[in-house]
Amino acid sequence: MDLNVKHELEAWDGPAQRGVEAARRAIWEPLPDAGSDYWRSGIEPCLAQIVPHLEPALLGVENPTILDLGCGIGRLSLPIASMYPHGKVIGLDISPSMLSIASEAAVSAGVANVDYVLCNGRDIPSSINKLHAAFSMITFQHMPWAAAAEYVRQVANLLLPGGVFRFQVSIGTEDVFLSHQILEEAVAVACDVAGLEVVAVDRGAIYSVWSWFTVRRPK
């Protein structure tokens, strides 16, 4: 196993082994003035940055398939699966302990149309076929950009024509373990190389250094 991947796995699986609250703290730091219910209060702003951008690709699709790349404990995949009960959401993550928590949460919530799949931290498993849409949040900023760009390429290969990928990156020049920033120009180049059209770039939503890219596979 690549040393970076090994350390990333330890960083995410370790907290999840200690329980749900430790996993939550590792995933999502409270927003200012979030209060005691910081976890729930942070979900809606994130969904607002994702769902409206996926909808054009899902309009009129009876049984859409949606990928959550870096799903953690199901923070976003569970509510999105509930929004699309006739679709299928696939949550992909490197941490088996995170996925175990997500699977238990899905059962508790009665959400049956979500599957949680373990990956090696660098590749989308071959069991995942064509996608109508995909999203990724708080994932690419935690891995070297070369690995994130490769995920962009892999998602592009799985998207159906007209399919959309909405993902978040951290903009800047910092490049240390679990904090890998990138310039927007480099993201645009990676999307172009992958054959994806950049539909929108939304800057500063939720955090000032975040940029959200909406990219589409041409029809």
Side-chain angles (χ1 to χ4, degrees), residues 4-16 18 22-23 26-27 94-95 98 142 177-178:
N4 279 329
V5 176
K6 179 177 183 292
H7 290 161
E8 289 165 18
L9 173 59
E10 292 169 349
W12 302 119
D13 205 58
R18 298 195 295 273
I27 293 167
I94 191 177
S95 166
M98 292 270 186
H142 294 310
F177 179 63
L178 292 187

Side-chain angles (χ1 to χ4, degrees), residues 15-16 18-28 30 36 38-39 73 101:
R18 298 195 295 273
V20 174
E21 185 57 32
R24 287 177 172 180
R25 290 279 173 178
I27 293 167
W28 183 250
S36 59
Y38 77 95
W39 181 256
I73 62 174
I101 293 173

